[in-house]
Every structure is written in C-alpha cells, then in structure tokens.
Amino acid sequence: MTDRIEPSMIVAHDVDKVYPNGCHALKKVSLSINSGEVVVIIGPSGSGKSTFLRTLNQLETISAGSIRIDGVSLTDRKTNINLVREEVGMVFQSFNLFPHKTALENVMLAPLKVRKLRKDQVRESARELMYRVGLSERMDSYPSQLSGGQQQRVAIARALAMKPKIMLFDEPTSALDPEMVGEVLDVMKSLAAEGMTMVVVTHEMGFAKEVADRVVFMEEGELVTENTPEAFFENTENERLQRFLGQVL
Amino acid sequence: MTVERRVITVEPDQGGEPFVVKKFDNIEINDGDLVFEGDVIAGVESIELGPLAWGLLMTLKLSVVSLIFALFIGLFTGLARISANPALKNLAITYIELVRGTPLLVQIFIFYFFIGTVLDLDRFTAGVAALSVFTGAYIAEIVRSGIQSIAPGQMEAARSLGMTYVQAMTNVILPQAFKRTLPPMAGQFINLIKDSSLVSVISITDLSKAGREVVNSTFAPFEVWFTVALLYLVLTGLLSWLVQRLEKRLSASD
C-alpha cells in the first residue's frame, strides 16, 4: 500500500496529537496518499478523523511525528505554512462562508488577496467555478440567502479558486438536509473524476464505495485499517471495523 | 457729501480729495448731511458667533479628534488583548484596567497638570489625550468582544485559503466584527461627547464652560442651561441617526 518509490502527495508518519488537557487525539497515525488518489476516512465520532484531516493543513498542530505535503515538511520551522495552504483547499462541515460577501465575492477573495491576481481575471475564473458547481444563477446572493447545499457548493468553489493540488473535506454533508446531500456529492464526484487528490472525512458509505480509491478506518485516535473499498467493506477479519460497519450500514 | 447709487462721497470743507465709501449694508445719514469727524455714516452687517456657538464648535472638535485617536487606540489594544503574545496581552489588560478603574476627572488632571507640564502640552492636546486614552480602553473591550463573537470557523476558513493572520483579520473578521459592534460603539461615541464636558475643568472653553460663562454674565440659568442641553442633544442625536443609517446599509447581507 505505502509504495516508497512512487512520490506521494501526502505523507504522514507517526503523527501524534495530545491536547493541553491531556486528551490523546491521534496515536501514531501513518498514511501516505498519492497524487490523484481519493481517500475516504470513516470512523465513529471522537475517533480523531477530523483532527487528522485538520493536521494536514496545520489548522491543528501535531505533538510528534511528521507530515510532508508535496515534498514540503509541515513540521519544519522554516516552512511558510501559508504557502502550503495555498495548495491545500479545505471544505468544512459548517461551510464557513464569509457572510458579509456575496457568493461570487467569497470565491474571488483569496485569489485577489493571496495570489494578488488582476480583478477581471479573478472574476472570470470565479464565474466559471460558480457555473461548474451549478450556481451561475446565484452569484450575487449572500450566503444567508442560499440553502445549505448551495452554500456548501460555493464553499467548494471558493476552495477550488486557489487551484489547489489537494482538497480536504471535513464531513461536507453532515450539516445538510438529506435532499441536499446529493448535489454536494455530485460536485465531489466530478472533482474526483478530474483527478483531484482528495481526502474526505464522511459518513456517506455510498460515496466511499463508489468514489474512493482507498478507505481508512479510524477509532480512538488510531488508524485501525485501510483498504480498497471492495476489500474494505467485505472485511471480516477486523473486529472493530466489523462492529462499526454493523452500526452504520 | 452726497449719497448716490450705494456710494457715499464725503467732500472735505477745506478742499482736497473726496473720501468715497462703497461697501456697506445700512446708511446712517442722508444726502447733503453735514458730517463731522467721528460720526457714523454707514455700517456693515455680519453674523458673529456667540460664546455658546464657539463652545459647541470646541466640543465638536474635541469629540471628533478624540474619537479618531480613541478608535486607533481601541482597535490596537483590542487586538493586543486577544493576541497570543503574553506580553502584549498583559500590557493591554493593564491599560484597560488602569483606565477603567480611575475617574475620568482624575485622569484629566493627571494629563494636564502632570504629563502636560512635563511634556509642555497645551490644554487642548492634554484634553484630547485624556479623552482618547479613556475612551480607547472602552473601545478596546468592544473590539475584543466583537472579534470573539465571530465564529472561529471564519478564521479557519480564511487561513485554510492561505491568508495570513493580518489578511484574515482585515478582510474577513474585522468587517464582520465592525457591523456587530456598531450599536455599542454608538453608545461609546455618545458617552465621549458627553464626557468631553469634563475638560472644562482645565479651562477649555467647550459648550459647558461657555454655558457657565454666559450664565455668569446674564443671570439666566434656565434659558442657558436648557439651550446647552439641547445643543448636546443635537450632537448626540445626529450621531445616533448616522450610526443607524450605517447599520441599515450594512444589513444588506443579513
């Protein structure tokens, strides 16, 4: 699985995270993800899967171990984390759109301020992205005027506007009404089909089966097992995974 | 002398050049009058500000200048207050506690009689300094609570897009906090206008001191003090109205 010769996009090695209050959130988690791969992380709540995802763009710092993104070490003091984050897009459970800006302005903000591109150029590509996520009609709406599914699609467009090499999804459909889950998953599927490197924390087992190249199971801060979706969901050896799948499927 | 088409010509008896007056509003003499040296022949009308109007202008100037400084002090102290740097944070807390824990009147005396004497400040500068340092501490707390009321996810989203802390603050957090803090800010600005009356104790002729002076010379406390109160009300009312309009304009995204 962890092919050492092939260059990996993400290499996490023995990642440990201990919160100041003593909570041991991650215990020696190692995972490497190749370019273009779609990895889905599942596990019960409190298993550390979101925490692990957030260490990949250093929204959470780690206590021990190492993480390399596209060859750049995140634990190296000399690394400019902002430059790494420009290449790693993130989509949040609660969308976190900027409420004081319209949908289009949300998408335009980072390319304007971080990449310092010309405004007409940024507007043009932002329009294309809004079209791509199926929201060309709602560009001038404020987030409060959009449904949850629409907001999450704007959030995906906002992350894509930086033209990242990796996309992280932190339970992107968990805060959505059931009828809106599909529209967001469709955008994610088309993204996967285009060869984007994706790490997805989700409870959508259907998505994992259909889109993932690999499925990872985490519990109590440990990476318990990982496999291709076919083998993963047929797994009968691992007792902890069996118990979890028995509860959710 | 002759008065013809708004021009007065005075011809001296002993001969010599006639004296011509062209600019005037009212004439005190008639055509052909005999005038002597020192006589009033015409007058110019103009509106001059009375003591209360001058006082009002001084209060306005004090408030506006102090407000600008207080906003800067408040913004930076508020940011320092939530900074991860312990030195910066403790400095901000100390400043806020010192200022909020002592009366403004005492601070004005300290600024004028001690700091003002040492640094050779004039009354106005000392008054502005005292008012802005005092108001700045309150604004700092408003700024802090405003920033902390924004969901942490906003900062995370901004940082995840590669923005620096400063970029995230200026583009994402502060614009939202600004909108949320407008109502308490308006209250603080109104307090500043009213607090500015205290600087009359260091002989700055603001609206309150002007009122006292007019009462001393006219013995009409009723009319004067009600006028003074009304003028303060006009200033604070105008400010409230402006802030309310701003709030309405910013509510487009709600």
Side-chain angles (χ1 to χ4, degrees):
Chain A
M1 279 172 290
T2 43
D3 194 340
R4 295 209 180 279
I5 300 148
E6 195 171 348
S8 299
M9 199 58 138
I10 303 172
V11 183
H13 183 69
D14 282 351
V15 172
D16 248 56
K17 169 82 187 177
V18 184
Y19 282 104
N21 64 12
C23 173
H24 204 158
L26 295 175
K27 295 167 191 160
K28 290 203 179 299
V29 177
S30 294
L31 182 67
S32 64
I33 296 164
N34 292 330
S35 183
E37 211 177 0
V38 177
V39 173
V40 170
I41 305 176
I42 64 169
S45 58
S47 60
K49 54 194 193 306
S50 279
T51 308
F52 177 66
L53 191 77
R54 290 159 57 87
T55 63
L56 297 181
N57 66 353
Q58 288 290 287
L59 283 183
E60 297 283 357
T61 55
I62 60 175
S63 315
S66 70
I67 299 174
R68 296 179 82 81
I69 302 284
D70 202 14
V72 181
S73 168
L74 298 191
T75 40
D76 189 340
R77 280 183 165 276
K78 278 174 277 181
T79 300
N80 182 351
I81 188 61
N82 294 320
L83 292 178
V84 178
R85 284 175 179 156
E86 288 179 27
E87 310 301 330
V88 184
M90 186 160 197
V91 175
F92 300 85
Q93 181 177 357
S94 49
F95 329 133
N96 296 351
L97 289 180
F98 307 135
H100 60 303
K101 296 193 174 291
T102 65
L104 193 68
E105 287 169 347
N106 263 278
V107 180
M108 289 168 63
L109 185 65
L112 277 180
K113 301 293 173 186
V114 181
R115 296 247 196 252
K116 309 218 186 293
L117 299 172
R118 287 210 343 266
K119 193 162 189 178
D120 47 346
Q121 191 185 338
V122 169
R123 179 173 285 122
E124 195 50 43
S125 43
R127 280 177 191 280
E128 275 168 32
L129 279 169
M130 290 294 283
Y131 184 78
R132 196 165 138 197
V133 297
L135 287 171
S136 48
E137 308 289 307
R138 306 303 305 268
M139 289 199 245
D140 297 319
S141 304
Y142 284 97
S144 58
Q145 298 160 338
L146 299 173
S147 72
Q150 290 172 329
Q151 287 190 54
Q152 194 60 297
R153 284 186 281 154
V154 174
I156 294 173
R158 179 178 68 178
L160 289 176
M162 290 296 285
K163 299 192 168 54
K165 293 177 184 154
I166 301 167
M167 284 286 280
L168 308 176
F169 292 85
D170 189 4
E171 304 197 26
T173 55
S174 298
L176 295 177
D177 290 337
E179 75 270 20
M180 292 169 184
V181 170
E183 60 190 68
V184 172
L185 290 183
D186 285 343
V187 172
M188 291 169 64
K189 280 174 199 165
S190 71
L191 207 54
E194 288 163 30
M196 176 66 79
T197 309
M198 289 163 66
V199 187
V200 185
V201 170
T202 187
H203 295 293
E204 296 292 328
M205 296 303 154
F207 178 82
K209 277 181 192 162
E210 189 182 341
V211 184
D213 296 311
R214 247 190 311 158
V215 184
V216 173
F217 175 62
M218 285 183 72
E219 193 179 47
E220 287 170 356
E222 288 170 63
L223 196 157
V224 180
T225 179
E226 55 169 314
N227 218 325
T228 58
E230 298 79 22
F232 185 88
F233 289 104
E234 300 303 316
N235 189 322
T236 46
E237 293 148 33
N238 194 304
E239 199 187 314
R240 292 161 88 181
L241 175 56
Q242 274 303 306
R243 200 172 345 112
F244 178 69
L245 288 178
Q247 282 162 355
V248 294
L249 289 179
Chain B
M1 71 148 290
T2 54
V3 179
E4 222 173 70
R5 280 197 203 129
R6 311 290 299 154
V7 177
I8 303 171
T9 313
V10 183
E11 285 156 8
D13 271 349
Q14 272 82 34
E17 283 296 300
F19 173 67
V20 182
V21 183
K22 280 181 182 165
K23 268 193 163 178
F24 53 87
D25 297 307
N26 51 344
I27 303 167
E28 304 286 329
I29 48 168
N30 292 313
D31 197 13
D33 274 6
L34 188 66
V35 292
F36 296 93
E37 208 174 312
D39 282 2
V40 176
I41 55 172
V44 179
E45 276 179 12
S46 68
I47 297 170
E48 298 243 331
L49 293 181
L52 285 187
W54 278 115
L56 181 69
L57 281 181
M58 176 52 90
T59 290
L60 194 64
K61 202 168 121 190
L62 264 173
S63 307
V64 171
V65 177
S66 305
L67 176 63
I68 292 168
F69 282 110
L71 274 176
F72 272 103
I73 296 173
L75 179 60
F76 286 107
T77 314
L79 287 171
R81 176 77 178 73
I82 53 166
S83 145
N85 182 333
L88 221 51
K89 187 174 171 175
N90 287 326
L91 206 66
I93 293 176
T94 311
Y95 158 68
I96 292 169
E97 290 308 324
L98 277 182
V99 168
R100 290 201 311 184
T102 51
L104 175 57
L105 194 57
V106 174
Q107 289 172 27
I108 292 173
F109 284 138
I110 291 175
F111 264 95
Y112 183 56
F113 291 110
F114 176 63
I115 300 175
T117 314
V118 173
L119 299 176
D120 197 21
L121 302 177
D122 61 39
R123 298 170 198 291
F124 183 76
T125 314
V128 164
L131 283 175
S132 16
V133 165
F134 178 78
T135 308
Y138 287 88
I139 290 184
E141 283 295 273
I142 295 176
V143 168
R144 176 183 70 94
S145 66
I147 292 173
Q148 286 179 336
S149 76
I150 306 297
Q154 291 289 311
M155 181 54 104
E156 287 181 354
R159 295 306 299 274
S160 79
L161 289 164
M163 287 188 214
T164 62
Y165 179 81
V166 175
Q167 283 173 332
M169 267 293 168
T170 50
N171 293 300
V172 176
I173 307 296
L174 287 179
Q176 293 182 56
F178 173 72
K179 194 168 117 182
R180 222 169 271 189
T181 53
L182 262 183
M185 278 294 190
Q188 199 54 51
F189 296 168
I190 287 171
N191 273 342
L192 172 63
I193 293 178
K194 295 187 297 182
D195 288 342
S196 75
S197 69
L198 282 176
V199 298
S200 61
V201 296
I202 54 171
S203 283
I204 296 177
T205 312
D206 73 326
L207 188 49
S208 298
K209 183 151 183 290
R212 207 153 56 230
E213 284 169 3
V214 175
V215 170
N216 284 344
S217 58
T218 59
F219 302 105
F222 176 81
E223 294 89 336
V224 173
W225 286 124
F226 270 96
T227 310
V228 167
L230 196 72
L231 288 174
Y232 273 113
L233 209 58
V234 168
L235 280 187
T236 53
L238 203 69
L239 189 70
S240 285
W241 178 74
L242 278 174
V243 172
Q244 271 177 27
R245 271 190 49 152
L246 193 59
E247 261 184 81
K248 232 179 212 162
R249 259 187 45 194
L250 289 176
S251 67
S253 61
D254 286 340

